[in-house]
Every structure is written in C-alpha cells, then in structure tokens.
Amino acid sequence: MITTREDGYELSTDPNRVDVDLVHRWLSTDAYWALDRSRETFEESVRGSLNFAVHDSAGQQAAYARVVTDRATFAWLCDVYVAPAHRGRGLGTWLAGAVRDHLAPYRIQRILLSTRDAHAIYAKAGFRPFPNPENLMILSPAQ
C-alpha cells in the first residue's frame, strides 16, 4: 500500500522502504521505550511485523510505525516515531489512522498501544483509554 498526502509525504507498507539504519538510530537513542535496543533485535522486529514508513517529498524517511498482529483477532501498534524535523505536521495521527484503516478488513477486535505522552495524537485516530486497565497483566522476564 502506498498513500500520498497533498504536501508530498508518502506512506508505504513495503518493509523494503524502511531505512533500518535510520529507524534503529531513532529508536535506540531517542525513544524512551526502546533506548539501547540492539540492531539485531530491531531487525527481527521489522521482519516479524507490518511496517509503515513515511517519506518526505525528497524521499527521506520522516516517520515509522509497526504493528504486531495475528491478522485475525489482535494487533499491537508500537514503535511509532516521527523525526523531530517533521513533528507538528500530523504525521503521527496520519500513521495511527493508516494502521487503523489497513487493519480494518481483518475485523480485528482489539488494537492496543501504549504511550506515555501522546494520548491526544492517538485519540484523533479513534483510540481511547483502555476501559479496564486493572484487567491487564504483564510478564517481563528481564525484570
């Protein structure tokens, strides 16, 4: 899937369009949830996910997101990152909406995400707080 906005930004789901070096650097050095993530781990996550890459009109990658899903019942939106030079242009909301729309034909019952500071961005794409967070549990073997 390729979609182009009027301002020249292009969104693609082709994993070959992901600038792995650049996105790994973004996430491992600037994203609070992925600091120090290894290159090997990032490459594995790209291979095992649906990838969404946004490029500017010059062809430079400007944003990234990925989705972990079984394409039937569940999806997890993660690693959403917009490069600092491209923030404030609605790319995060566009990415979240593109993910929602891309997954719609699968009739997935639940698309989850976790954010510390971007609730308003995701709300514009229809996300809302989890109704019963007390029902959620986590297993973190590294802790």
Side-chain angles (χ1 to χ4, degrees), residues 100-121:
R100 176 201 61 220
D101 297 347
H102 185 83
L103 295 175
Y106 298 111
R107 300 168 51 119
I108 291 173
Q109 298 297 307
R110 206 171 267 118
I111 302 171
L112 296 181
L113 64 84
S114 177
T115 184
R116 183 167 71 188
D117 56 2
H119 295 79
I121 290 170

Side-chain angles (χ1 to χ4, degrees), residues 58-75:
Q60 297 298 309
Q61 189 155 356
Y64 175 76
R66 69 185 182 90
V67 176
V68 180
T69 183
D70 60 9
R71 292 181 174 92
T73 63
F74 177 81

Side-chain angles (χ1 to χ4, degrees), residues 44-112:
E44 287 180 39
S45 72
V46 169
R47 284 192 298 272
S49 302
L50 295 175
N51 295 274
F52 295 77
V54 174
H55 293 82
D56 65 18
S57 59
Q60 297 298 309
Q61 189 155 356
Y64 175 76
R66 69 185 182 90
V67 176
V68 180
T69 183
D70 60 9
R71 292 181 174 92
T73 63
F74 177 81
W76 178 265
L77 172 58
C78 54
D79 288 343
V80 180
Y81 187 91
V82 177
H86 299 275
R87 292 181 184 162
R89 299 176 187 177
L91 296 180
T93 299
W94 188 39
L95 267 170
V99 165
R100 176 201 61 220
D101 297 347
H102 185 83
L103 295 175
Y106 298 111
R107 300 168 51 119
I108 291 173
Q109 298 297 307
R110 206 171 267 118
I111 302 171
L112 296 181

Side-chain angles (χ1 to χ4, degrees), residues 131-143:
N132 303 100
E134 66 276 5
N135 293 352
L136 295 175
M137 296 184 72
I138 187 170
L139 175 64
S140 296
Q143 294 180 341

